[in-house]
Amino acid sequence: EMVVSDWSSDVCSSDLDYASAETRIVGERLIEKELQEIERNAFFTDKRLLPTFLSYYKRIAAGERDLYM
């Protein structure tokens, strides 16, 4: 069992709720970069977990927490 947040950055979308506009832009760029790295990661592509991961990421970005794969 893997917790999706195990793969998340030190900066997550919920942290950006309280950030200044400038910090929010930097954080969103960092998150996008890390998502691109995950999309190229064999763990997710070989096991066909990428669609599930991305759907869970969207749920986390919308405020849900502690989702398990």
Side-chain angles (χ1 to χ4, degrees):
E1 189 170 84
M2 180 183 77
V3 179
V4 173
S5 62
D6 291 345
W7 286 89
S8 66
S9 163
D10 289 339
V11 176
C12 70
S13 58
S14 65
D15 293 335
L16 299 178
D17 292 342
Y18 303 102
S20 68
E22 186 175 296
T23 302
R24 184 179 200 67
I25 290 168
V26 171
E28 287 174 349
R29 286 181 185 152
L30 177 60
I31 290 170
E32 183 60 35
K33 180 181 174 190
E34 290 189 354
L35 286 173
Q36 290 171 359
E37 290 175 14
I38 287 170
E39 289 174 351
R40 293 187 300 266
N41 185 307
F43 176 82
F44 290 97
T45 57
D46 292 352
K47 296 183 179 184
R48 298 186 179 132
L49 294 174
L50 188 58
T52 302
F53 174 84
L54 292 175
S55 72
Y56 277 44
Y57 175 78
K58 288 176 185 174
R59 290 169 61 187
I60 291 169
E64 285 188 59
R65 299 293 179 261
D66 300 325
L67 302 173
Y68 296 91
M69 293 179 92

